[in-house]
Amino acid sequence: MPCVAGAAQCVSAAAAGAVWTSQLPKPVRADPPHLPYACSVTPAQLSRTIRQALPHVLPDGPDGEVVAPSAGDGSSADAVAVFSGVRVVVESPPRRGAGDYATGVAFRAAAVCGRPAREVAQLLCARLEGDVDAVDGAEVVGGGFVNVTLTDDARVALLRALAEGGPAETAVLTGTTPTGPGNPVRAADPVRTADGRTASAAEALPTAPPTAPTDVPARDIPRWAAVTGEDPAVLAVRTERASSLFRVQYAHARVCSLLRNGRRLGLRPEVGSAVPLETAGARLLALLADRARVTAAGPLARHLDAVAQAFAAFHDVCPPLPRGEEKPGAAHCGRLALAEATGAVLAGGLSQLGVSAPAHL
């Protein structure tokens, strides 16, 4: 009987151990924190949000193991370390389609965590839709690109910040304190001058007034050619088809004309009436918001050209002023608000390049 009694004691001890073990807290992953964000979401702000969200998007660790939570923030030190070197770029969608912004960060994240890029993109979409207030929707495009669509409230706040222009615009768009109006071109950025020399932006690009009564081709063409590398003779052909400089300056002059004529009709820009946006308007707004990301002189000039072309497309399908027998309405006021924001972005960029932003052309 001693053996039976000993066995019973062993069973009893084992059962007690099992009960005690079952009472231990399971090493579960803590719920990731909510990612509240200001309603005005710019590419720079969304980049920071995605960088913060990446350590939380995967349910397991990089190699499939359970990740032990750190002090209540929902991510582990290992996960944070794995994704810390992942570069996040948010920009206007390179191809026309759904969404205000696009990012290919899932491909970079997949390379370091060993998961398929499309799976990472799907998890990131769910995270953004669930926890970022200003995101109305996020979808996976192709093998792992993520397109993000903002809510109407976020678009209104973004449009209002853009229309204000000047230092306030840059502060809102980049989250930093600017050193000058718009400040997209650093003084040390190398540019090519009209005579072929390489100089800093401070040397080659004297500032111009934000808005001038008219353009000065003899001054503007050499300065634009210096940063774009385009032939001055081609830029001197003053048509939208031939000259990128003329496209940009003409777009700015057209905005000024629309605002003047709108006032004559009793129409004023109303940001709240700008939503919902048509596809052409959403495309234009995304390019306007993306302008703060472009810092070098040459890319800035090309970006301004893209903005001008997007504005021309918007103007054709969503005229800011009534046509024919059409009566003025709230929709026109909203479109004028988007036109006003376009003018602010074009004027700031042209000023930084030392090129005039004409009110008449």
Side-chain angles (χ1 to χ4, degrees):
M1 295 303 294
C3 293
V4 174
Q9 291 176 353
C10 291
V11 171
S12 177
V19 171
W20 178 81
T21 304
S22 66
Q23 294 174 348
L24 291 176
K26 294 181 179 180
V28 295
R29 189 175 183 141
D31 290 335
H34 182 69
L35 297 176
Y37 225 88
C39 195
S40 176
V41 171
T42 66
Q45 291 172 330
L46 189 56
S47 294
R48 292 194 293 272
T49 298
I50 292 175
R51 190 176 297 110
Q52 180 184 355
L54 277 177
H56 310 285
V57 298
L58 297 179
D60 301 316
D63 299 319
E65 76 279 5
V66 175
V67 176
S70 60
D73 71 347
S75 65
S76 70
D78 290 341
V80 173
V82 164
F83 293 112
S84 61
V86 175
R87 183 167 175 258
V88 181
V89 176
V90 176
E91 57 189 347
S92 57
R95 297 179 182 84
R96 294 180 183 273
D100 296 290
Y101 303 135
T103 179
V105 67
F107 292 100
R108 300 186 183 93
V112 301
C113 73
R115 299 292 188 90
R118 188 171 181 83
E119 177 189 351
V120 175
Q122 290 171 336
L123 293 168
L124 178 59
C125 285
R127 185 83 169 107
L128 293 175
E129 288 181 336
D131 291 324
V132 182
D133 297 332
V135 171
D136 184 57
E139 64 175 342
V140 181
V141 178
F145 292 99
V146 173
N147 279 15
V148 178
T149 301
L150 302 180
T151 63
D152 283 347
D153 287 343
R155 286 172 169 174
V156 166
L158 177 58
L159 185 55
R160 182 173 288 111
L162 286 165
E164 291 174 355
E169 171 200 343
T170 301
V172 172
L173 292 178
T174 64
T176 59
T177 301
T179 57
N183 198 31
V185 182
R186 295 182 296 265
D189 285 342
V191 299
R192 188 167 65 85
T193 62
D195 59 3
R197 296 184 300 106
T198 299
S200 69
E203 297 171 332
L205 302 175
T207 58
T211 300
T214 185
D215 63 331
V216 185
R219 180 193 65 192
D220 296 340
I221 289 176
R223 292 181 180 179
W224 187 269
V227 299
T228 62
E230 296 177 79
D231 185 353
V234 175
L235 295 175
V237 180
R238 293 164 64 79
T239 65
E240 287 186 89
R241 183 173 182 179
S243 172
S244 61
L245 171 60
F246 185 81
R247 280 194 295 269
V248 175
Q249 291 182 317
Y250 181 69
H252 182 269
R254 178 181 282 183
V255 167
C256 294
S257 176
L258 289 170
L259 295 175
R260 288 194 303 270
N261 292 331
R263 286 192 292 270
R264 294 190 185 103
L265 295 174
L267 295 174
R268 296 288 190 274
E270 294 181 5
V271 173
S273 300
V275 293
L277 286 174
E278 301 288 345
T279 301
R283 168 70 176 170
L284 175 59
L285 180 59
L287 283 170
L288 296 178
D290 199 25
R291 168 249 188 268
R293 183 182 59 85
V294 185
T295 57
L300 172 60
R302 290 189 289 274
H303 187 78
L304 294 178
D305 188 19
V307 169
Q309 294 184 63
F311 177 70
F314 165 74
H315 181 277
D316 290 343
V317 299
C318 303
L321 295 180
R323 290 179 175 176
E325 299 299 322
E326 185 181 9
K327 294 183 178 180
H332 298 107
C333 295
R335 294 168 188 172
L336 281 175
L338 187 52
E340 183 180 46
T342 301
V345 168
L346 292 176
L350 287 169
S351 176
Q352 289 297 327
L353 294 175
V355 176
S356 59
H360 300 271
L361 198 60

